[in-house]
Amino acid sequence: LGTGFAALFGLSNIFIYLKQIDYFAQSTLLNPFTHTWSLGVEEQFYLIFPVIVWVSGFARNGIADFKKLSIILSFLSSFSLVSFIFLHGPNQEASYYLMPNRFWEIAVGSIVYLTVRKKINFIERINDIPSIILFIGLILTLFLPKSYSILSTLIIVLFTSLLIANIQKRSIIYSILSNKYIVYIGLLSYSLYLWHWGVLSISRWTIGIHWWSIPI
C-alpha cells in the first residue's frame, strides 16, 4: 500500500529505492504496485524535460535552436548512461529505479525525433540498414539472461531508436507493425501494462497462477 500511495504522486520508484527492494526478489511478486516504478521515472522526466526545452531556446525558436537542445540532451544522456552502467554493480537499485540513471533511455527518443526532423545526413545511412534485422535483433534481445541486463538495455534502446529512424513504408516490418490487429494491441498495450502486474500479484495472494486460471 505504501508503494501504491507513492505511485499516486509519481514517486514509487523513489519509495522502492529507499526500501532497497530488489525488483527481481520473490517479495516483489506479491506487491501489486511494484511495476509503477517505471511510471515514476517517466513522470519525473516529464517534469524536467520542458525546463530543458525552454532553457535551450527550442520552445521559443523551434528547429532553429535544434543544435543547442541536441547538445544539452546528448550531454545529459551521456552522463546518465555512464551513471547507469557505473552504479549497476555497487548500487543496482539506484541504477534500476532512479530517474537520473534512466534519463538517457527516454531522452534518446527526443534526440531521434530531432535528427529525423532536421534530416541529418547520417539518417540516410541508417536507412540502408534493413529494418527486419533491427526488428529480429530486438526480439532476440528479450531472450538474453539477466546477467546481460546492461547489454540488453543498451541494445533495446539502440535498435528501437534505429528502427524508428529508418523504417520505410515499403518494408515488411512496416507492413507488420501497421497491421490493424497489431495496432489495436499497441493501443491497448499501456493499459495492459498497468493491469497485468496487479492481476498476477493478487492471483499469487489468492488462487495462485495455474493453467486453468489464465483465461480468468
Side-chain angles (χ1 to χ4, degrees), residues 199 203 207-216:
V199 171
S203 295
I207 62 173
I209 299 175
H210 312 280
W211 66 267
W212 54 264
S213 68
I214 291 174
I216 301 173

Side-chain angles (χ1 to χ4, degrees), residues 18-183:
L18 293 176
K19 292 291 185 180
Q20 291 293 294
I21 299 173
D22 181 357
Y23 188 77
F24 299 101
Q26 288 295 111
S27 59
T28 62
L29 298 178
L30 299 174
N31 185 344
F33 302 106
T34 300
H35 68 315
T36 60
W37 73 268
S38 66
L39 306 182
V41 170
E42 292 169 27
E43 289 158 8
Q44 290 153 30
F45 176 89
Y46 297 143
L47 280 176
I48 67 168
F49 186 72
V51 178
I52 296 171
V53 173
W54 180 260
V55 169
S56 71
F58 190 86
R60 299 181 295 278
N61 304 317
I63 206 70
D65 274 325
F66 153 84
K67 186 175 182 181
K68 190 174 180 181
L69 178 58
S70 298
I71 290 172
I72 294 173
L73 286 177
S74 298
F75 173 78
L76 293 176
S77 296
S78 299
F79 184 80
S80 173
L81 175 58
V82 170
S83 66
F84 171 76
I85 296 173
F86 178 76
L87 289 173
H88 193 269
N91 194 343
Q92 188 173 6
E93 285 78 16
S95 174
Y96 198 91
Y97 289 123
L98 300 184
M99 188 277 292
N101 307 313
R102 293 286 192 170
F103 177 93
W104 66 278
E105 292 177 277
I106 312 178
V108 163
S110 303
I111 294 171
V112 169
Y113 165 77
L114 290 170
T115 53
V116 172
R117 175 83 180 272
K118 191 68 175 177
K119 298 181 180 178
I120 303 299
N121 291 335
F122 80 86
I123 291 294
E124 296 181 3
R125 299 175 187 172
I126 292 175
N127 288 338
D128 294 333
I129 305 173
S131 55
I132 192 168
I133 292 178
L134 297 172
F135 188 75
I136 292 173
L138 277 171
I139 300 301
L140 293 177
T141 304
L142 301 177
F143 296 95
L144 287 175
K146 178 190 169 186
S147 57
Y148 289 88
S149 59
I150 291 182
L151 178 61
S152 62
T153 303
L154 289 168
I155 292 174
I156 286 174
V157 174
L158 175 62
F159 279 23
T160 301
S161 302
L162 292 175
L163 185 62
I164 291 171
N166 97 326
I167 194 165
Q168 304 291 321
K169 287 188 175 182
R170 62 180 181 274
S171 67
I172 297 174
I173 298 304
Y174 182 89
S175 300
I176 294 173
L177 295 179
S178 61
N179 177 277
K180 64 179 182 179
Y181 300 108
I182 300 297
V183 170

Side-chain angles (χ1 to χ4, degrees), residues 191-209:
S191 298
L192 292 175
Y193 170 77
L194 292 178
W195 278 96
H196 87 284
W197 187 259
V199 171
L200 292 173
S201 178
I202 294 171
S203 295
R204 293 186 179 98
W205 278 102
T206 54
I207 62 173
I209 299 175

